[in-house]
Amino acid sequence: DTTVKQNPRYKLARVGKPVNLICSQTMNHDTMYWYQKKPNQAPKLLLFYYDKILNREADTFEKFQSSRPNNSFCSLYIGSAGLEYSAMYLCASSRGGSDYTFGSGTRLLVI
Amino acid sequence: AQSVTQPDARVTVSEGASLQLRCKYSYSATPYLFWYVQYPRQGLQMLLKYYSGDPVVQGVNGFEAEFSKSDSSFHLRKASVHWSDSAVYFCAVSGTGGYKVVFGSGTRLLVSP
């Protein structure tokens, strides 16, 4: 099985409420990534885990949290959703930083 | 910091025609370069990659791309497109090691019958 699974496929959230997105992979990849994709824009890297080490991008450092309780799972957490968080969130995994495998994404709508 | 520019947001070609999707990158050192494709309701899938060596790299489904250091480009080509090639194509760049891949904004390809 060479897939990355993301749940849920669609998520509706209220402004000010927390959001938790889930990603899993069964390829024993050491690295897992979260990207944010808005219409007509490039996917933007938010953070990635190399093994148990979390690396967050400087410009989104305070907006997103993540956890990786084991090799297979990685979550993306938004503490207080704002309208600007509405986007597609893409999870990917890789072994050693090459050949990413992407999930189908979770489309988040914040109202 | 690295960046990628895909100047064409949309491209329409007739089935059977040849295709070139343009990509320009900015990176101070030797880049790793990629092309990804996203079909409707699916995740991004890698078409091909360039790390070093022959500047023309072959990918899946008849796609190829050519790396030009002098032009800072990595254009994608296909000799004869099929309607099933309709999708969004992303060019991407990373540094050595591949972590922190930076994507372009994508080119939506429509293949008309």
Side-chain angles (χ1 to χ4, degrees):
Chain A
D1 184 9
T2 57
T3 60
V4 174
K5 290 184 168 57
Q6 292 189 242
N7 289 299
R9 188 86 173 89
Y10 298 94
K11 187 165 183 71
L12 188 65
R14 299 282 183 184
V15 170
K17 297 298 186 183
V19 176
N20 197 45
L21 307 180
I22 303 295
C23 177
S24 65
Q25 53 92 9
T26 56
M27 296 169 283
N28 201 31
H29 283 171
D30 52 23
T31 309
M32 295 185 74
Y33 311 80
W34 282 99
Y35 282 80
Q36 181 191 63
K37 171 80 171 70
K38 294 186 176 181
N40 303 315
Q41 295 183 21
K44 175 181 170 57
L45 178 66
L46 300 176
L47 52 87
F48 69 95
Y49 263 101
Y50 171 69
D51 195 14
K52 293 181 173 60
I53 301 170
L54 175 60
N55 297 270
R56 287 187 286 177
E57 291 295 283
D59 58 346
T60 55
F61 190 88
E62 295 181 347
K63 294 185 176 181
F64 299 94
Q65 278 284 359
S66 183
S67 68
R68 191 177 187 188
N70 55 55
N71 178 270
S72 299
F73 287 88
C74 188
S75 67
L76 182 70
Y77 180 75
I78 301 166
S80 176
L83 296 176
E84 71 276 15
Y85 287 88
S86 293
M88 174 74 83
Y89 289 86
L90 301 171
C91 176
S93 69
S94 71
R95 178 169 292 122
S98 66
D99 295 12
Y100 287 20
T101 300
F102 277 88
S104 299
T106 294
R107 189 174 296 279
L108 173 66
L109 178 63
V110 181
I111 59 173
Chain B
Q2 59 260 45
S3 66
V4 176
T5 300
Q6 294 181 248
D8 304 308
R10 293 175 182 268
V11 170
T12 301
V13 296
S14 299
E15 191 166 26
S18 63
L19 169 72
Q20 177 172 278
L21 300 182
R22 296 184 291 165
C23 172
K24 300 273 278 187
Y25 69 89
S26 174
Y27 188 64
S28 56
T30 302
Y32 286 7
L33 293 159
F34 310 86
W35 275 98
Y36 283 81
V37 61
Q38 186 176 28
Y39 299 104
R41 293 176 297 282
Q42 296 186 26
L44 278 70
Q45 303 168 36
M46 191 170 66
L47 278 177
L48 47 80
K49 62 186 177 186
Y50 172 81
Y51 288 170
S52 65
D54 189 336
V56 178
V57 292
Q58 304 296 322
V60 299
N61 297 335
F63 285 95
E64 67 174 30
E66 183 167 5
F67 166 64
S68 170
K69 186 174 182 178
S70 62
D71 194 40
S72 297
S73 67
F74 190 57
H75 302 325
L76 181 70
R77 302 189 295 244
K78 188 171 184 178
S80 177
V81 296
H82 186 263
W83 63 267
S84 59
D85 293 324
S86 295
V88 182
Y89 292 79
F90 294 93
C91 182
V93 65
S94 77
T96 303
Y99 297 103
K100 300 184 71 168
V101 173
V102 173
F103 288 85
S105 54
T107 296
R108 184 176 297 277
L109 173 66
L110 177 61
V111 180
S112 59

